[in-house]
Amino acid sequence: MIPDPPPAARDLFGSQLPQARAYAELLAGPGVERGLIGPGETERLWDRHLLNSGVVAELIPAASGPEAVHLADLGSGAGLPGIVLAILLPEVSVTLVEPMARRTAFLEECIAKLGLSNAQVRRGRAEKLAGEIEADVVTSRAVASLDRVAGLAAGLARPGGLVLAIKGASAEQELDRAQPALRRLGATRIEIVTAGAGLIDQPATVVRFRTGQNASLVPRPGRGRRPKQRT
């Protein structure tokens, strides 16, 4: 049994709230049974997981041309944030990158049961898929340290692609440690931003950077961006 969605979930998901609720039930049921999330997470699925993932939608650029934005979710696990973003952004093509069979099986079931025609699963390690996936945007959440994530994400992004690494209170320290790796990758426009300010009590903290210059995507209007420019 999962808690009722809080008001913030109703505001964020709107007409897509039934899909979000169905996904929460999948996480609390098969997700817990198969060890994808801990049983203690059920009571805080909305605040800690679905909302924390969903507010990142405001940071996803909108396509300026006819081609859909392609998003790759690195180490998707149980689908956070990839499944949530696929629910919120049906116009975005989402690839869930995950190496573990039991997780990819769960992701496939979620896509089918939620009717997410804009999402697909790609099983494999990011290192092996480097160059095969050329996403406009790469997201990650609870995957690895930022220096590791940066290298993996850069391999899945096309030149000029955007990387969004969801981090917590350690974002500043991780970014400091990752500076040498980011320099080696030629990362640009490196900054820490927040998503969901004014909607949730603890906005998501995201390390954002680009793998190069790209003029084909334009910012998507969103709430609560508070960029902190880094060098």
Side-chain angles (χ1 to χ4, degrees):
M1 188 71 179
I2 62 170
D4 289 334
R10 300 178 187 277
D11 292 339
L12 178 64
F13 289 100
S15 63
Q16 295 146 315
L17 184 61
Q19 271 184 308
R21 188 195 294 267
Y23 176 50
E25 291 172 352
L26 287 167
L27 288 171
V32 171
E33 293 165 8
R34 301 179 197 179
L36 274 68
I37 66 168
E41 299 300 305
T42 301
E43 290 299 315
R44 49 187 182 178
L45 275 177
W46 288 106
D47 292 333
R48 181 167 182 173
H49 297 294
L50 276 76
L51 289 172
N52 179 261
S53 296
V55 293
V56 177
E58 71 184 48
L59 303 178
I60 308 298
S64 60
E67 295 294 324
V69 171
H70 179 200
L71 182 149
D73 188 30
L74 168 64
S76 198
L80 299 162
I83 291 285
V84 179
L85 294 175
I87 291 171
L88 281 168
L89 303 172
E91 75 280 9
V92 172
S93 175
V94 177
T95 299
L96 308 171
V97 179
E98 172 57 48
M100 294 185 63
R102 65 187 175 89
R103 293 177 179 172
T104 56
F106 176 76
L107 293 172
E108 293 280 11
E109 291 174 22
C110 288
I111 288 172
K113 291 180 179 180
L114 299 175
L116 296 174
S117 60
N118 62 324
Q120 63 175 337
V121 178
R122 187 73 182 270
R123 184 183 173 192
R125 299 184 65 82
E127 300 96 318
K128 300 293 185 181
L129 296 175
E132 295 184 24
I133 296 174
E134 295 186 340
D136 300 305
V137 182
V138 179
T139 56
S140 74
R141 182 178 187 267
V143 173
S145 61
L146 182 59
D147 55 349
R148 174 72 171 154
V149 165
L152 295 174
L156 300 178
R158 62 169 178 74
L162 180 68
V163 178
L164 300 172
I166 304 172
K167 294 292 180 179
S170 65
E172 288 274 0
Q173 293 82 358
E174 286 202 50
L175 183 51
D176 287 340
R177 290 194 296 268
Q179 287 294 336
L182 291 167
R183 284 195 293 269
R184 286 195 301 271
L185 293 167
T188 62
R189 298 166 64 180
I190 306 164
E191 56 190 348
I192 295 175
V193 298
T194 59
L199 179 67
I200 56 178
D201 292 336
Q202 294 184 327
T205 302
V206 181
V207 178
R208 176 170 67 181
F209 66 88
R210 282 193 177 274
T211 59
Q213 298 298 319
N214 174 35
S216 65
L217 298 178
V218 297
R220 179 187 304 277
R223 67 165 72 82
R225 299 188 192 183
R226 297 176 181 174
K228 180 175 182 180
Q229 192 71 38
R230 301 296 296 245
T231 58

